[in-house]
Amino acid sequence: MSLLWEWFVQSLGKRWFLWTLFVVNLLGTIYGFIWYGNQLAETPAYLRVFVPDSPTGSGLFTLVLLTYLMGRHIPVLEALAGITNFKYGVWAVGIILAGWMMGNPIRWTDVMLLVSHTGMAAESVLYARFYKLSWLPVGITALWTLNNDFLDYVMNTHPWLPSVLDPYTGIIGFCTVLLSIISIAVIWYTNMRFGSEINKV
């Protein structure tokens, strides 16, 4: 098992692996923006950038993979992508599972979203060892992420929730802010802890 894990970790920086993830994330991002089509159409134009949380996170991560394929690092992009992709991956999984526990019917699309968003969170942590992070890009990302939470639950730009969870929007908002802080800490810690072990991609 340790040999398999070692091979997997070493494959993260290989071009074939980066290209595979790039294509998967690009297709998922496109699907995600299509998924948000109806909500975007009903949102004022000046707030639309704050609506499609998951596809924005995966889209930023897709750009990070592209920069790696080009042999470059953009710390602000890496911080934004790593933290938001992780956060919204975990958030979506939590919302889907909470909806099921509250009686929301289990649909195949929910299962697909559960798997894909778990992948989003996992890839963000796995690639955190490659990020070139410092206080400035992480600070910028923290401001963006917490501001997005404010707009989501004050200006009501958060993703549409399963109807069974609508009465708990306030609790979800609180948990989302907490998740933002946890996401920043997880990506920062992982980068600091493992970045020195594999610092080249």
Side-chain angles (χ1 to χ4, degrees), residues 97-164:
L97 293 177
W100 288 349
M101 287 188 290
M102 295 298 293
N104 207 43
I106 299 176
R107 302 181 179 89
W108 74 267
T109 51
D110 292 334
V111 176
M112 178 270 292
L113 290 171
L114 189 73
V115 172
S116 62
H117 283 78
T118 299
M120 286 170 57
E123 66 185 4
S124 294
V125 174
L126 286 169
Y127 276 89
R129 65 191 68 213
F130 297 121
Y131 306 155
K132 306 292 186 183
L133 299 186
S134 64
W135 285 107
L136 181 58
V138 172
I140 291 171
T141 300
L143 288 174
W144 166 267
T145 305
L146 293 171
N147 176 67
N148 195 35
D149 292 342
F150 172 81
L151 292 172
D152 274 356
Y153 295 96
V154 174
M155 302 297 290
N156 202 35
T157 62
H158 62 79
W160 287 342
L161 301 170
S163 58
V164 294

Side-chain angles (χ1 to χ4, degrees), residues 27-102:
L27 294 176
T29 298
I30 293 170
Y31 177 81
F33 280 110
I34 294 172
W35 178 273
Y36 275 91
N38 291 334
Q39 185 173 354
L40 286 169
E42 296 183 14
T43 302
Y46 68 95
L47 290 174
R48 285 176 186 164
V49 68
F50 301 104
V51 170
D53 293 335
S54 291
T56 298
S58 63
L60 291 170
F61 192 80
T62 304
L63 291 177
V64 167
L65 294 171
L66 182 61
T67 62
Y68 289 170
L69 287 164
M70 298 170 61
R72 297 189 58 195
H73 284 269
I74 303 177
V76 172
L77 178 61
E78 290 172 334
L80 282 167
I83 291 169
T84 59
N85 202 45
F86 176 83
K87 173 191 171 181
Y88 294 119
V90 174
W91 184 92
V93 169
I95 291 298
I96 292 169
L97 293 177
W100 288 349
M101 287 188 290
M102 295 298 293

